[in-house]
Amino acid sequence: MTDTATTSRLFAPTRLGPLNLPNRLVMAPLTRNRAAADGSPTPLMAEYYAQRASAGLIIAEASTPNAVGQTYPNITAIHTDAHVAGWRRVTEAVAAAGGGPMFLQIQHGGRVGHPDNSGLTPVAPSPIPLPETIHTPTGRQDAVVPREMTPEDIRATVNDFAAAARRALDAGFAGVEVHSANGHLLHQFLAPNTNRRTDAYGGSVDNRVRFVVEVVDAVAAAIGRERVGLRISPGNTVNGIADTDADTLYPALLAQVATRNLAYLHIVSADPEQPLFQRIRADWPGTLIGNPVLPREQIPADGGRQAAERLLAAGADIVALGRPFLANPDLVERLRTGAPVNPVRDRYMMYVGGPTGYTDYPTLGAVR
Ligand SMILES: Cc1cc2nc3c(=O)[nH]c(=O)nc-3n(C[C@H](O)[C@H](O)[C@H](O)COP(=O)(O)O)c2cc1C
């Protein structure tokens, strides 16, 4: 265990805009494909999130703001009354378990999608397909060429994000996280290898950040800027994205978004040694959530505690952990006491449905 002052900060309450968080450990958004076929959250999902109620903040998994934004089968959505009703069951279950606030991540997949999943041809900034196969109900298939978004599509999508944010609040969420990371639609507008547009949304970094800024502004106007977070993953190569000019792109994005007084900025693969992380910390005046870099194959034996503390020491205000929360419903207690953590079993048990590898990870009490 390292420096005790830093250590204790992880478990100390903090504020996030108008919200009180009981600790600084956030459950990162984790898609688990347990929704009904129409994208409505299920009772099993309510149980899963309630098990993890001791997180300082739960950022619930990527949920699509419209039909065409759907990525994979059985992902969650937030554009119909049925979606709101399903999510309300989840937020009520977490509150009943004594949980802190919840945010909902809003994600449009863009080219990460398939007609066999959404019933629609995916849309993207440019007609450049995902260079990978994609999971569908009949197995993995080659990605299709997405349709290039028209200016009308762009306006409608911005409005869909705002409407989804309103619905998220109706469902009992305290706020939303705009997903501009991991190669999904907003990231596809940012990155030069997926955005070849020649209009006001393509070309220069200032043009490529425009769509993200418009989405953030529309969502903030809909629900209040203090209820809006933004997730980015500079340099990430997931889903065939290539942030080749990250060093100029992200400062350009921050130059615009930093003035918006959002609830937080959330960085995936936040590495305190990286100059870009340090630059973003310096440029971002508000709350910074860092998701530390953990080994890919398995979570570390300490559940990510050391990495979390290093990130706090480097200037993050709050730390997000993904797989450690996936495998440990009582992660906060385990990290606080130094108890051993459950390893992740059988990869992530996506696309299989049911409780196995989902709600059956034991708590400390259960294994004592
Ligand atoms: C099963 C699984 C599902 C994920 N789903 C999402 C998601 O819905 N939205 C998102 O932004 N990131 C998603 N991620 C990325 C995580 O939020 C997190 O950034 C990543 O797992 C690294 O953190 P960790 O090492 O603590 O797990 C997912 C990761 C995993 C393993």
Side-chain angles (χ1 to χ4, degrees):
M1 231 132 280
T2 54
D3 169 355
T4 41
T6 310
T7 300
S8 62
R9 269 216 306 147
L10 257 187
F11 308 103
T14 189
R15 286 188 68 81
L16 185 68
L19 306 170
N20 291 315
L21 308 191
N23 58 63
R24 292 157 203 238
L25 279 164
V26 170
M27 179 176 167
L30 293 166
T31 293
R32 304 298 306 280
N33 308 80
R34 260 48 176 210
D38 76 340
S40 294
T42 52
L44 182 68
M45 290 179 55
E47 181 186 341
Y48 163 80
Y49 279 109
Q51 288 175 341
R52 287 156 181 77
S54 57
L57 172 76
I58 293 175
I59 305 172
E61 66 205 79
S63 298
T64 185
N66 58 24
V68 75
Q70 180 179 351
T71 48
Y72 310 109
N74 299 96
I75 70 149
T76 49
I78 182 74
H79 55 90
T80 70
D81 291 348
H83 303 150
V84 173
W87 276 121
R88 178 161 282 288
R89 274 200 299 271
V90 174
T91 59
E92 286 176 354
V94 171
M102 294 182 75
F103 269 46
L104 180 65
Q105 186 183 56
I106 305 182
Q107 166 192 278
H108 188 305
R111 69 177 186 164
V112 184
H114 195 280
D116 286 2
N117 293 342
S118 65
L120 298 163
T121 300
V123 296
S126 300
I128 304 168
L130 182 74
E132 295 170 11
T133 57
I134 185 157
H135 193 91
T136 72
T138 51
R140 295 196 76 88
Q141 296 193 46
D142 285 337
V144 299
V145 178
R147 183 171 66 72
E148 178 172 319
M149 288 170 77
T150 63
E152 292 70 36
D153 290 327
I154 290 177
R155 264 195 300 281
T157 307
V158 167
N159 291 338
D160 288 344
F161 268 86
R166 271 187 228 105
R167 285 189 181 277
L169 261 60
D170 289 346
F173 287 97
V176 303
E177 177 172 282
V178 172
H179 192 2
S180 184
N182 298 350
H184 293 102
L185 180 68
L186 273 63
H187 202 175
Q188 292 159 28
F189 270 87
L190 294 178
N193 76 317
T194 44
N195 182 345
R196 300 273 167 74
R197 298 180 74 92
T198 53
D199 64 3
Y201 294 91
S204 67
V205 290
D206 286 334
N207 277 357
R208 280 184 274 131
V209 305
R210 190 181 310 280
F211 179 61
V212 176
V213 175
E214 287 183 2
V215 169
V216 164
D217 281 346
V219 171
I223 62 169
R225 60 194 182 192
E226 71 287 357
R227 299 189 176 279
V228 183
L230 177 66
R231 193 173 214 215
I232 57 173
S233 56
N236 195 330
T237 55
V238 76
N239 286 317
I241 209 79
D243 267 342
T244 40
D245 54 5
D247 288 345
T248 48
L249 175 69
Y250 286 93
L253 176 64
L254 257 61
Q256 304 230 23
V257 189
T259 59
R260 264 61 177 188
N261 287 321
L262 302 183
Y264 64 80
L265 180 71
H266 185 176
I267 307 183
V268 181
S269 303
D271 178 357
E273 307 298 322
Q274 239 186 29
L276 185 55
F277 171 82
Q278 295 159 8
R279 167 94 196 258
I280 290 173
R281 173 64 285 188
D283 287 358
W284 181 253
T287 299
L288 187 71
I289 302 181
N291 176 206
V293 183
L294 301 182
R296 280 188 67 146
E297 286 311 311
Q298 187 50 269
I299 59 174
D302 74 350
R305 180 170 172 168
Q306 266 194 16
E309 286 170 358
R310 262 202 309 276
L311 215 45
L312 280 189
D317 301 294
I318 298 175
V319 176
L321 295 172
R323 293 164 301 156
F325 270 110
L326 184 158
N328 295 274
D330 51 354
L331 182 71
V332 177
E333 188 192 346
R334 290 179 194 248
L335 296 199
R336 186 168 24 225
T337 59
V341 294
N342 300 320
V344 176
R345 303 192 319 254
D346 307 321
R347 292 294 285 175
Y348 311 127
M349 301 296 281
M350 300 172 66
Y351 311 116
V352 295
T356 305
Y358 189 57
T359 47
D360 64 349
Y361 278 102
T363 58
L364 278 172
V367 291
R368 253 179 215 137

